């Protein structure tokens, strides 16, 4: 008999491969997939631009992207997400994120994803953990008085 994962709609099956959604039930995955949209970006294309208004979370399904922030370039690959800062703070985008190669991403709009987070605290906690790590990495460099130029020298 077929595994239930084989019966998942394509969108939900794509999300099943994302580590931070691994604890979700098939029903939650399908709910998430229904509110998500798959988008494709060409290499070099901005996926979000600094100061742009409008939240929404992006989850990279395939390909990779770069974000320059705090004086350093960060790489984001399959299974990683971005866009949580504007989504959570209700502020413009803090940085530009650019596709480093062709990227396929799932986008989740704030108005649908916020209520989803409230119903799925484990996903909210995972996002918090990643935000704390990102903040810590930038903070550590500030404390060391180090810029990207210093670290490359
Ligand atoms: P947001 O401000 O919505 O849009 C730009 C995104 O870049 C931001 O959300 C984060 O998801 C991402 N970002 C910001 N700082 C870092 C970082 N230090 N490492 C990885 N991603 C980051």
């Amino acid at each position: 008999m077929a595994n239930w994962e084989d019966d998942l709609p394509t969108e939900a099956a794509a999300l099943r491969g994302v580590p931070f959604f691994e604890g979700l039930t098939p029903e939650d995955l399908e709910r998430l997939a229904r509110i998500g949209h798959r988008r494709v970006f060409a290499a070099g294309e901005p996926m979000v631009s600094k100061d742009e208004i409008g939240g929404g979370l992006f989850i990279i399904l395939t390909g990779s992207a770069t974000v320059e922030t705090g004086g350093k370039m960060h790489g984001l690959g399959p299974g990683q997400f971005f866009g949580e800062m504007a989504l959570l703070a209700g502020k413009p985008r803090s940085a530009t994120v650019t596709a480093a190669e062709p990227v396929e991403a799932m986008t989740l709009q704030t108005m649908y994803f916020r209520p989803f987070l409230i119903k799925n605290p484990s996903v909210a906690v995972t996002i918090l953990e990643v935000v704390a790590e990102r903040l810590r990495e930038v903070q550590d460099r500030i404390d060391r008085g180090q810029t990207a130029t210093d670290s490359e020298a």
Side-chain angles (χ1 to χ4, degrees):
M1 198 181 131
N3 182 311
W4 61 262
E5 290 191 34
D6 297 335
D7 299 331
L8 280 177
T10 326
E11 306 284 292
L15 290 175
R16 165 57 68 202
V18 176
F20 87 105
F21 289 142
E22 68 192 359
L24 295 183
T25 63
E27 291 74 27
D28 282 336
L29 270 183
E30 283 189 43
R31 210 167 297 132
L32 199 55
R34 271 200 297 276
I35 64 173
H37 294 281
R38 265 208 237 205
R39 289 178 61 188
V40 173
F41 297 84
E45 191 181 348
M47 299 176 72
V48 301
S49 300
K50 183 170 165 58
D51 296 331
E52 199 173 63
I53 310 247
L57 190 80
F58 287 65
I59 300 151
I60 298 180
L61 300 174
T62 60
S64 63
T66 53
V67 47
E68 186 178 351
T69 177
K72 196 181 162 193
M73 294 289 276
H74 300 267
L76 297 167
Q80 292 186 296
F81 64 83
F82 64 87
E84 75 293 343
M85 292 188 185
L87 186 152
L88 296 171
K91 295 259 172 75
R93 296 293 184 193
S94 63
T96 297
V97 181
T98 308
E101 55 184 316
V103 171
E104 188 185 13
M106 180 78 77
T107 63
L108 300 164
Q109 285 175 43
T110 306
M111 64 182 285
Y112 301 118
F113 191 55
R114 266 182 170 266
F116 180 87
L117 284 181
I118 291 164
K119 288 200 190 108
N120 294 275
S122 65
V123 176
V125 169
T126 305
I127 290 179
L128 275 178
E129 287 168 356
V130 173
V131 172
E133 263 174 45
R134 289 176 178 171
L135 184 64
R136 183 61 194 255
E137 189 274 328
V138 174
Q139 188 67 51
D140 283 350
R141 272 186 297 118
I142 292 170
D143 288 348
R144 290 198 305 270
Q146 196 181 44
T147 64
T149 325
D150 293 336
S151 60
E152 281 157 15

